[in-house]
Amino acid sequence: MSFIIGSFDRFFHGFLRKEYTRDLEDGFGQYLPCVIHGLRVVQGRSLEFQCVLTEYGAGAGFLAPIEAFCWREPDEVRASPVLDYTYIQPWDCFSNEFGVHAFELHRRMKALILPDRRGARYCFSIDFTGSSLADMSEQHKHLHVMQMDDGSMGAFPNNRVLWVEPAMWAKPFEERPDFMALSGEWMAE
């Protein structure tokens, strides 16, 4: 069964960049408070968040791409809609069929996002199925939705995330581990 919209276990307050309510023509540097309460996942597109714009009481179904949202007002204002997607969502959604889960181990855990080790904090994860790419063992990726230290939101695959938890390991890894994707499929019978 295909799902395109869904929700996560906890809504959160954030901001929508006003330019996304103005077709990216103006409104840069202005932020509209919102409650982010759902998401829309379409294969081959950016993850979209669903929100309510709290100053207007509007938008139960207001959708915008992840790059339109902030969890806090950023320190720097974007001058244009041209973005480096490496640090927002380096992969489009892999399928319309997905599940949302918050891993307790990672809940609110800090992370470093590769390649530049930008700081972030974990929110929840999205896993995909139902497409050849999503179901291919070597290519399967789920996206971890993160609050970036600069105020923006991002969604990153496992191979872009280094977890930071001093209680579990002494320091973040200095070098990328020499791992290869596990190929093949595993079955009980």
Side-chain angles (χ1 to χ4, degrees):
M1 176 179 228
S2 290
F3 296 93
I4 296 178
I5 61 171
S7 63
F8 23 86
D9 65 345
R10 298 177 183 155
F11 64 85
F12 56 97
H13 294 270
F15 295 89
L16 176 65
R17 296 173 190 273
K18 188 171 182 179
E19 63 263 28
Y20 286 85
T21 67
R22 305 282 307 142
D23 199 25
L24 302 175
E25 291 184 11
D26 56 42
F28 293 96
Q30 298 174 47
Y31 305 92
L32 303 174
C34 65
V35 175
I36 302 166
H37 62 90
L39 48 89
R40 182 170 188 246
V41 175
V42 177
Q43 184 175 350
R45 292 179 51 179
S46 287
L47 177 65
E48 293 176 295
F49 284 149
Q50 184 170 4
C51 73
V52 173
L53 300 170
T54 56
E55 288 184 350
Y56 302 98
F62 190 92
L63 292 165
I66 189 172
E67 58 265 21
F69 290 91
C70 310
W71 65 275
R72 68 168 174 80
E73 290 189 32
D75 299 329
E76 295 181 25
V77 175
R78 286 187 194 158
S80 79
V82 178
L83 299 174
D84 175 3
Y85 285 95
T86 302
Y87 289 105
I88 301 297
Q89 181 181 338
W91 298 96
D92 286 331
C93 296
F94 298 103
S95 175
N96 296 342
E97 296 182 43
F98 67 98
V100 178
H101 181 75
F103 290 103
E104 272 307 311
L105 175 67
H106 298 306
R107 190 176 292 277
R108 307 280 305 147
M109 187 182 281
K110 291 183 179 183
L112 299 173
I113 306 302
L114 298 174
D116 290 0
R117 295 175 178 255
R118 293 188 190 185
R121 186 175 297 273
Y122 176 80
C123 296
F124 59 90
S125 299
I126 301 168
D127 196 19
F128 302 93
T129 191
S131 74
S132 57
L133 186 61
D135 293 335
M136 183 185 306
S137 298
E138 293 177 62
Q139 294 299 318
H140 180 87
K141 293 171 182 65
H142 43 270
L143 297 176
H144 302 292
V145 175
M146 303 279 194
Q147 294 175 330
M148 303 298 292
D149 286 353
D150 68 3
S152 62
M153 300 294 298
F156 306 97
N158 286 333
N159 62 354
R160 294 284 178 101
V161 179
L162 292 176
W163 300 105
V164 178
E165 179 48 69
M168 299 183 93
W169 46 90
K171 61 182 180 174
F173 300 101
E174 297 299 323
E175 296 180 16
R176 185 177 179 176
D178 185 22
F179 295 153
M180 294 175 51
L182 185 60
S183 62
E185 294 182 10
W186 309 96
M187 296 169 213
E189 294 184 25

